[in-house]
Amino acid sequence: PRLATSFALLFLTRSTPSLKPRELKRGGSGILRTGIVLPRGSRYYLILDASGSMTAEMDGKTKWQIARDAVARLVEDLPDTSEVALRVYGHRKRAIEEGASDDTALEIPLRRLVKKDFLAKLESLRPRGKTPLARSLLEAKRDLGGAAASDPVTVILLTDGGEDTLPRQDPVRAAATLGELKGIRFHV
């Protein structure tokens, strides 16, 4: 909010003498106190695919580089008052390792954005495993719970496609379940 105009008017009012001087009865200390409450920024919950399929190339870049750069640009453009969460899947275990079908983690919970920390976390991630897409969507619903009801949350999923976990899960059904939360805007 711009306050310069109101302070200028206040200054001119207090500093300009009246044409008819009269004694005014004033109370208080003469100190003007103001307070500004900035509105909350937007709220984003990012789900990022870091599965092994993201190492494939498109136009000379890996899908991972393209997705990571897109997230970095988004974060750099967000106002500092934004709240952002980051869930990543397929980044901790290779596809042949036990538990790869459950490899999803909330790396950054929904909180006020600290760009430097967010970008450092993003840079540290490497694609390597399976695609537990449905599980990640269900975990996102659990993470957000009632948070979306009070203030809307935009959920952004960056992925190159299908589920490859065993037993096979249904990402469309999981997305519908996430969409049941009030205040959710979902983009894929």
Side-chain angles (χ1 to χ4, degrees), residues 80-137:
D80 292 334
T81 57
S82 298
E83 293 180 18
V84 183
L86 177 65
R87 174 168 287 281
V88 185
Y89 61 85
H91 64 298
R92 296 178 300 178
K93 297 182 181 239
R94 293 177 304 163
I96 59 172
E97 291 181 56
E98 188 176 327
S101 291
D102 297 321
D103 183 17
T104 180
L106 183 61
E107 295 292 338
I108 300 174
L110 188 61
R111 64 178 180 223
R112 190 165 191 146
L113 176 63
V114 179
K115 292 179 184 183
K116 178 183 62 129
D117 295 345
F118 191 100
L119 295 172
K121 173 52 83 177
L122 189 61
E123 187 61 34
S124 73
L125 300 170
R126 298 289 175 260
R128 59 174 51 107
K130 289 195 173 198
T131 309
L133 178 54
R135 182 174 180 86
S136 296
L137 292 169

Side-chain angles (χ1 to χ4, degrees), residues 11-109:
F11 173 79
L12 290 173
T13 301
R14 294 185 63 104
S15 65
T16 305
S18 173
L19 295 175
K20 294 182 181 177
R22 59 188 165 132
E23 190 173 320
L24 298 175
K25 294 182 180 180
R26 296 183 179 178
S29 64
I31 297 174
L32 174 65
R33 294 191 179 169
T34 60
I36 302 172
V37 177
L38 295 174
R40 288 177 79 168
S42 299
R43 302 171 81 206
Y44 297 93
Y45 186 101
L46 304 172
I47 305 172
L48 184 58
D49 182 346
S51 64
S53 64
M54 296 293 281
T55 61
E57 287 196 11
M58 288 176 50
D59 299 326
K61 282 185 158 182
T62 65
K63 294 176 188 178
W64 174 249
Q65 288 171 309
I66 294 167
R68 188 178 60 196
D69 291 349
V71 171
R73 280 192 308 274
L74 171 69
V75 167
E76 287 170 353
D77 289 343
L78 289 175
D80 292 334
T81 57
S82 298
E83 293 180 18
V84 183
L86 177 65
R87 174 168 287 281
V88 185
Y89 61 85
H91 64 298
R92 296 178 300 178
K93 297 182 181 239
R94 293 177 304 163
I96 59 172
E97 291 181 56
E98 188 176 327
S101 291
D102 297 321
D103 183 17
T104 180
L106 183 61
E107 295 292 338
I108 300 174

